[in-house]
């Protein structure tokens, strides 16, 4: 069961990194016409949710 716990930790770490990069507009996966609307609606979710997932992933790994 230890292997699956490590998998969830690394998965959260990768997902949190991607969400944080999207939230701070380093990585822009959205089309230009929908980009501003998406950032206005979900910008804080991407920023704070990504940071929270990174922290939770690190807790699960260690």
């Amino acid at each position: 069961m230890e292997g699956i716990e490590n998998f969830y930790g690394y998965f959260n770490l990768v997902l949190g990194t991607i969400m944080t990069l999207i939230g701070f507009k380093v990585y822009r996966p959205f089309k230009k016409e929908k980009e501003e609307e998406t950032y206005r609606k979900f910008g804080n979710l991407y920023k704070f949710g990504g940071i929270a997932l990174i922290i939770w992933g690190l807790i699960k790994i260690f």
Side-chain angles (χ1 to χ4, degrees):
M1 227 16 153
E2 184 68 27
I4 196 78
E5 292 294 324
N6 282 339
F7 170 75
Y8 287 140
Y10 288 116
F11 181 76
N12 285 343
L13 194 64
V14 169
L15 188 63
T17 303
I18 293 170
M19 285 180 65
T20 305
L21 290 175
I22 291 172
F24 287 110
K25 298 181 182 179
V26 175
Y27 173 61
R28 296 177 179 219
F30 307 113
K31 294 180 182 176
K32 295 294 180 191
E33 21 327 306
K34 294 183 78 176
E35 183 175 347
E36 287 303 318
E37 179 184 341
T38 304
Y39 283 127
R40 189 175 62 248
K41 284 172 113 175
F42 302 113
N44 288 334
L45 174 71
Y46 283 121
K47 290 177 190 171
F48 300 122
I51 293 170
L53 278 174
I54 290 172
I55 292 170
W56 186 250
L58 289 174
I59 289 172
K60 288 295 231 180
I61 291 171
F62 298 117

